């Protein structure tokens, strides 16, 4: 292969594809160069320079440019593929036309559900597409019932995963586990360090000595700064700072204030941290982020470097990708001009992959392992009484802790007096005190815990999901009626995973998520319209929540404050302890 | 170790050494930051920030600064240790006080003489000093008798060497061997590429399509540009461009013109390519180069980055060295101000290593393998008649090719008519036509070839060396008298290597080089005065050469034009063929 590149450059052999005469964004020198040619042989670049006539033969496809701009394909340096709820094939269909040719993917969610074997299957699933994926080894997840580091895979398994060539590092490791010297985490860092791969960070909220201690461990990136001073504090500690602009958070506008500072940009990176189906279809992906950075006043060449070379350098991938140079993989986009990040043409792995927003190549057909397709494992179907809550007294009033929704992802503890009825505590729709249950779904235990929630606003029916954040993605259901809660969960079992809204034991909206209980096999467009239907239906059932699915999926999470729920009980995030439902 | 760093940063444990309140050159952000503290534990940095009081304990050494500047120790990204003719210990004694704490060393010269085992011994020799060395695996050498790629080690041996943690890449590979697809070279590149290590380049004279073809092979650096347009051409192809300022060449002044260009500096690196003993003692090392860059108008922070972070990033060493950040190795210099690169203090591996130019730590005592100490292997001593040159005719005139010295390292072919005397061709001192011999000295063959040289200017005696460039460092001797030539070579055999000037079979100057025939065990100061004596003595013997030893050592080389000599005959560099001494 290298020999072919040499021969094409020397004019001894012909190129497959030649781009003739555009303005080249040279990410290495930081220049925009006029009248440049790029010649491609196979999947790689053979020639870059002022005259590529000698590389053209009878079978060479030639793309003639005028004033258009030639730039490297974008690389998303931090993302979660499951954010769209769709398959990797569907993701690629929308990512590539926008000019993103590579992404670095977290696998913690996969290890969470499917363990080591799941990660190994995933490495196979993401391979061989017209878009390139690199992956991070699974990091730790907070354990249940309380929040402690829990190994998802053994050290021996990590050792095997980290050595894989497509694995570029260890996934984001939340900072307190490091500064607290969790022994499992310390071993994970040492294993990764030994293989000279990256330790991806997650230092939200850390500052001063704690941030320094975290970085001293060898952590080499963070995508969590939301203010310029947080960005600078991290950059000055030598780590690669990722500016996040995606569906989870949008930090670019605030952080774009760096444009007025005289600093070195090489360790600044633009990332999505994951985009949902709606954003991917309607806003776009990395091209949207780069465009926004330029619109916010960041120098266009620097903005492009932040989504290409800077990312590649961070992950030691710059020998392969991140720039347009001889020997590099031919991942190239053609833009109308330097300030319009709307690729007219996308070349990926040396092939024309998209033109004017339309995909020209098909992703590989992916098949999922049986364990992924059978991930809702409960011992039996549920009934209304499975959701009853025992009262400590037969009659009279009882004070209980209630999860109160205060923003889409933030909750707080409320305390409410509820009447005991025949030794149980009821939900009270009129006071917006609904029931909320979390059900373990991987280990066939059927372990369930039911509490109360306020602020969700349903007047009837139930809303259930097998997609939830953190922990082992348990089933979560909120309801104004116990029979509907049982019905919704039972329907999810039948669908092998999904999102279900029901009323009077009749389905109103269903989005099947049969892959691991959190991915749909539907086209992204249908996922978007299903999610739109979810939003409207929940609203029609009385809820005023802006994004009820996001709120539902994050209720069992452990990364957002303050009162959360899992299958073991209510959890106080600040103290990392289980707290009683009944206020003693 | 990581745990200790975390604890020091958090104030749970105390630092060993603390720098209090200087101006920090932050190579990551490109800023000069006021009132910064650095705390060191063991060999590494535990804390960097605005207040390190919490890291100070009873046993902490504290260095209090006022307006001084804290910068990372310098890294020489391309050098040949043998340039000083001294030992590594002696090199360190002068490198460290100037602020150079790491260097990347070529090993081709070692493999050349001592093969695979020599390189393995060398990796041990350079380990464990107060200064860090990283090495490059031996690349190819032009083979004799004609100039073709010659494997110094087998592919299996390269595979083992390249996997060593202290090996950061493959040494400089001369470009035509790559563009000509020499099969051995292609295999070396592939082996290195497989291990994701750097392919160091040497593209002197390459441009246009040939340079592109060379870079397409995966070559990732070049230290040969001598003009700004050559630098830019390389930088735009994505390779790391090394600006050389050392005893071999001085390119910084010409290349400093980049200061007026708006380009990205991250892939620009300052290197020495080796310094000789005189320059090391009298000019300095990397601190001299950085100072000169600043004096020539390059931004001081950029100049420091070019000798620290940029180098570390190129070699994927930036997790360890190249900047002052938590977790990095504590290689730090204290400068009086940002524009005065004269370290008041040097910290290396966490220890105070030098103060005001004085070394505080001793290098490790090094021992050399027996094969290195017995590298002058000839079957017997030589006699005057070993240097006689046969004539094709018994009497009359014969036209011969003569190596004519036109500059210290450039020669050309001259043709001269010589009288045949008793079937031999004599040297003629009056016409400055001297004899020049090259003698194989490693394989005990005693193979010898004698030709003529013009322009050396000796009126009497002989000058011999076991240190010579390229090939297998054969013995080389130039003489105005055959008996003196034999005497000088025999003296080198007795010394196990060296530099010898003799007259009437009496030694005038001797510099023993008993280590591999090219290193002295003397202090560098003595080497400098010996070399000075060589220069003066040769001058007193009639030569007008500016640097007679450099001229002598490069005569058997194959990298400089045009007519050269080796033990097989005269070699025409342009055509890469042996040419006859006698012009037919």
């Amino acid at each position: 292969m290298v020999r072919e590149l040499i021969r094409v450059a020397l004019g001894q052999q012909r190129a497959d594809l030649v781009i003739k005469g555009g303005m080249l964004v040279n990410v290495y020198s930081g220049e925009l160069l006029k009248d440049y040619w790029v010649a491609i042989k196979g999947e790689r670049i053979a020639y870059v320079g002022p005259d590529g006539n000698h590389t053209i033969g009878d079978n060479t496809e030639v793309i003639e440019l005028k004033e258009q701009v030639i730039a490297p394909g974008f690389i998303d340096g931090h993302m979660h593929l499951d954010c769209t709820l769709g398959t990797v094939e569907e993701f690629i269909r929308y990512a590539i036309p926008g000019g993103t040719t590579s992404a670095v993917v977290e696998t913690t969610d996969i290890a969470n559900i499917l363990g080591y074997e799941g990660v190994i299957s995933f490495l196979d699933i993401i391979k061989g597409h017209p878009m390139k994926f690199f992956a991070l080894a699974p990091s730790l997840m907070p354990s249940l019932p309380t929040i402690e580091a829990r190994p998802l895979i053994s050290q021996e398994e990590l050792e095997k995963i980290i050595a894989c060539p497509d694995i570029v590092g260890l996934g984001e490791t939340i900072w307190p586990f490091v500064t607290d010297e969790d022994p499992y985490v310390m071993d994970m860092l040492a294993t990764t360090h030994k293989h000279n791969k990256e330790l991806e960070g997650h230092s939200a909220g850390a500052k001063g000595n704690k941030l320094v201690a975290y970085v001293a461990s060898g952590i080499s990136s963070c995508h969590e700064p939301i203010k310029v001073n947080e960005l600078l504090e991290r950059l000055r500690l030598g780590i690669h700072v990722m500016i996040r602009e995606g569906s989870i958070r949008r930090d670019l506008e605030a952080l774009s204030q760096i444009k007025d500072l005289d600093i070195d940009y090489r360790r600044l990176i633009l990332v999505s941290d994951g985009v949902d189906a709606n954003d991917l279809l309607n806003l776009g992906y990395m091209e949207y982020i780069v465009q926004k950075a330029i619109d916010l006043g960041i120098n266009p060449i620097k903005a492009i470097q932040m989504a290409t070379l800077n990312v590649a350098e961070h992950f030691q991938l710059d020998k392969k990708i991140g720039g347009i140079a001889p020997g590099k993989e031919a991942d190239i986009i053609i833009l109308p001009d330097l300030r319009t990040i709307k690729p007219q043409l996308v070349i990926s792995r040396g092939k024309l992959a998209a033109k004017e927003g339309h995909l020209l190549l098909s992703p590989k057909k992916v098949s999922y392992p049986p364990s992924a397709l059978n991930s809702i494992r409960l011992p039996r179907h549920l009934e209304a009484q499975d959701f009853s809550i025992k009262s400590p007294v037969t009659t009279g009033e009882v004070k209980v802790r209630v999860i109160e929704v205060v923003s889409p992802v933030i909750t707080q503890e409320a305390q409410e007096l509820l009447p005991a009825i025949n030794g149980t505590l009821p939900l009270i729709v009129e006071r917006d005190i609904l029931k909320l249950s979390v059900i373990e779904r991987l280990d066939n235990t059927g372990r369930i815990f039911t509490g109360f929630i306020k602020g969700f606003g349903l007047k009837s029916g139930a809303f259930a999901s097998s997609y939830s954040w953190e922990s082992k993605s348990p089933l979560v259901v909120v309801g104004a009626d116990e029979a509907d809660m049982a019905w919704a969960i039972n329907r999810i079992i039948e669908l092998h995973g999904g999102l279900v809204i029901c009323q009077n034991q009749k389905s109103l909206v269903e989005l099947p998520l049969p892959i691991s209980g959190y991915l749909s096999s539907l086209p992204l467009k249908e996922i978007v319209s299903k999610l739109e239907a979810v939003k409207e239906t929940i609203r029609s059932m009385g809820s005023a929540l802006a994004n009820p699915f996001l709120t539902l999926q994050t209720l069992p999470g452990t990364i957002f404050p303050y009162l959360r729920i899992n299958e073991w009980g209510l959890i106080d995030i600040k103290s990392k302890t289980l707290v009683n439902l009944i206020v003693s």
Side-chain angles (χ1 to χ4, degrees), chain A:
Chain A
M1 189 58 224
V2 163
R3 286 170 185 255
E4 284 191 305
L5 302 180
I6 291 172
R7 288 173 200 163
V8 171
L10 292 174
Q12 298 164 354
Q13 211 170 313
R14 303 300 156 219
D16 297 325
L17 182 61
V18 168
I19 302 167
K20 180 177 171 177
M23 310 267 281
L24 182 84
V25 177
N26 192 308
V27 292
Y28 306 107
S29 67
E31 298 169 299
L32 185 67
L33 300 168
K34 272 186 193 171
D35 294 327
Y36 255 68
W37 297 55
V38 181
I40 296 164
K41 184 72 184 171
E43 298 196 353
R44 289 162 70 184
I45 296 168
Y47 174 85
V48 182
D51 180 1
N53 265 309
H54 63 292
T55 68
I56 297 178
D58 293 343
N59 300 315
T60 306
E61 185 169 355
V62 179
I63 297 163
E64 205 160 338
L65 303 183
K66 283 176 186 154
E67 294 289 287
Q68 291 110 303
V69 164
I70 311 168
F74 299 128
I75 310 165
D76 188 356
H78 185 78
M79 62 94 75
H80 300 263
L81 252 181
D82 59 309
C83 285
T84 64
L85 302 186
T87 59
V88 62
E89 296 109 297
E90 277 293 292
F91 183 82
I92 291 167
R93 288 197 177 96
Y94 294 89
I96 285 207
T100 304
T101 50
S102 298
V104 178
V105 190
E106 286 277 350
T107 63
T108 302
D109 54 331
I110 296 155
N112 217 20
I113 308 261
L114 303 172
Y116 170 74
E117 297 298 339
V119 176
I120 295 297
S121 306
F122 182 70
L123 291 179
D124 193 53
I125 283 170
I126 58 177
K127 213 178 267 180
H129 293 282
M131 177 175 168
K132 275 185 279 286
F133 293 95
F134 302 94
L136 298 165
S139 183
L140 78 161
M141 288 299 287
S143 77
L144 301 177
T146 54
I147 311 171
E148 278 163 33
R150 178 172 65 80
L152 298 177
I153 57 173
S154 70
Q155 286 295 336
E156 292 68 35
E157 289 168 340
L158 176 63
E159 185 92 42
K160 277 188 245 172
I161 289 176
I162 209 81
C164 293
D166 289 339
I167 290 282
V168 292
L170 179 69
E172 47 186 329
T173 302
I174 302 165
W175 69 270
F177 295 129
V178 176
T179 51
D180 292 349
E181 297 178 41
D182 176 280
Y184 179 73
V185 172
M186 290 289 115
D187 284 349
M188 289 200 309
L189 301 189
T191 299
T192 308
H193 186 77
K194 197 175 69 184
H195 287 266
N196 195 30
K197 299 203 173 177
E198 302 307 314
L199 295 167
E200 295 299 282
H202 186 290
S203 64
K207 61 182 178 182
N209 299 346
K210 286 179 180 169
L211 182 64
V212 172
Y214 182 53
V215 174
S217 72
I219 289 291
S220 60
S221 80
C222 177
H223 54 274
E224 294 291 335
I226 57 177
K227 293 176 191 165
V228 168
N229 69 326
E230 292 175 352
L231 179 153
L232 285 177
E233 190 178 7
R234 284 156 178 76
L235 183 63
R236 287 169 180 162
L237 293 174
I239 64 174
H240 297 257
V241 178
M242 295 169 166
I243 298 175
R244 169 170 50 186
E245 181 72 17
S247 305
I248 296 160
R249 272 193 68 94
R250 303 201 170 276
D251 302 320
L252 179 54
E253 188 166 352
L255 298 180
S256 68
Q257 299 310 316
I258 53 159
K259 69 179 190 285
D260 302 323
L261 303 174
D262 182 22
I263 55 170
D264 196 320
Y265 271 59
R266 75 175 92 178
R267 297 202 166 202
L268 297 178
I269 291 171
L270 296 171
V271 301
S272 77
D273 203 3
V275 284
D276 64 28
N278 190 47
D279 286 348
L280 182 58
L281 265 63
N282 296 310
L283 295 180
Y285 187 33
M286 293 302 294
E287 76 281 14
Y288 168 78
I289 305 176
V290 175
Q291 181 71 67
K292 188 166 177 175
I294 295 170
D295 293 346
L296 287 164
I298 290 176
N299 172 298
I301 290 180
K302 286 207 164 83
I304 290 171
Q305 286 176 321
M306 289 162 84
T308 57
L309 182 62
N310 297 10
V311 198
E313 286 187 343
H314 168 47
F315 291 107
Q316 301 177 45
L317 291 170
D318 56 306
K319 284 194 187 59
K320 285 183 186 172
I321 59 173
I324 297 174
K328 308 288 188 254
E329 305 204 9
D331 299 337
I332 296 169
I333 60 177
I334 308 294
L335 303 170
D337 61 74
L338 190 59
R339 298 184 161 272
T340 307
I341 311 301
K342 207 179 163 190
Q344 297 173 330
L345 217 56
V346 178
I347 295 165
S348 187
R349 295 186 184 274
K351 304 278 176 299
L352 283 173
K355 192 170 180 173
E356 303 292 355
H358 298 288
L359 193 73
L360 301 177
L361 293 178
S362 290
K364 180 181 82 173
K365 180 88 196 107
V366 159
S367 58
Y368 294 90
S371 60
L373 301 175
N374 180 27
S375 76
I376 311 296
R377 297 186 282 266
L378 269 75
R380 61 171 173 82
H381 279 53
L382 300 187
E383 297 167 23
Q385 60 259 37
D386 287 317
F387 298 92
S388 77
I389 297 174
K390 271 200 183 128
S391 166
V393 293
T394 318
T395 55
E397 283 201 319
V398 177
K399 190 187 268 187
V400 294
R401 286 189 172 84
V402 174
I403 293 176
E404 183 174 7
V405 179
V406 294
S407 87
V409 298
I410 308 292
T411 64
Q412 67 187 19
E413 179 182 316
Q415 298 195 349
E416 297 280 345
L417 286 172
L418 294 183
I421 300 170
N422 294 331
T424 65
L425 298 171
L427 58 84
I428 306 173
V429 174
E430 303 74 44
R431 288 168 61 192
D432 190 26
I433 298 174
L434 307 183
K435 280 190 177 170
L436 169 67
S437 298
V438 171
I439 304 145
E440 194 284 316
R441 58 105 164 175
L442 288 172
D443 298 336
N444 217 35
T445 64
R447 181 186 297 278
I448 178 170
F449 178 79
T450 302
F452 294 102
I453 185 166
K454 200 178 161 165
F456 210 96
L458 286 187
K459 301 296 179 213
S460 63
F463 179 26
S465 171
S466 61
Y467 180 95
S468 66
W469 280 41
E470 307 285 337
S471 66
K472 288 189 151 202
S473 192
L475 305 183
V476 54
V477 55
V478 62
D481 178 274
E482 287 89 348
D484 279 335
M485 291 171 81
W487 196 93
I489 292 296
N490 292 339
R491 184 62 189 143
I492 285 179
I493 296 173
E494 286 162 18
L495 295 171
H496 297 287
L499 205 60
V500 172
I501 304 173
C502 72
Q503 201 176 35
N504 301 323
Q505 296 163 57
K506 249 182 71 182
S507 203
L508 300 185
V509 186
E510 281 182 1
L511 171 58
L513 299 169
I515 305 161
S516 304
Y518 64 77
L519 293 187
S520 165
S521 50
L522 295 175
L524 284 193
K525 278 189 181 166
E526 288 185 42
I527 295 173
V528 170
S529 62
K530 290 273 191 192
L531 292 174
E532 199 46 44
V534 164
K535 205 178 274 183
E536 279 169 27
T537 306
I538 294 292
R539 191 171 303 145
S540 76
M541 289 163 79
S543 172
L545 289 179
N547 191 342
F549 176 44
L550 178 64
T551 300
L552 184 71
Q553 69 191 253
T554 53
L555 285 170
T558 49
I559 68 164
F560 296 114
Y562 288 93
L563 188 64
R564 296 283 156 183
I565 185 169
N566 61 43
E567 68 262 32
W568 303 85
L570 291 178
I571 188 148
D572 179 70
I573 298 295
K574 270 205 153 168
S575 65
K576 295 183 183 182
T577 51
L578 286 172
V579 291
N580 283 334
L581 178 72
I582 310 297
V583 181
S584 55

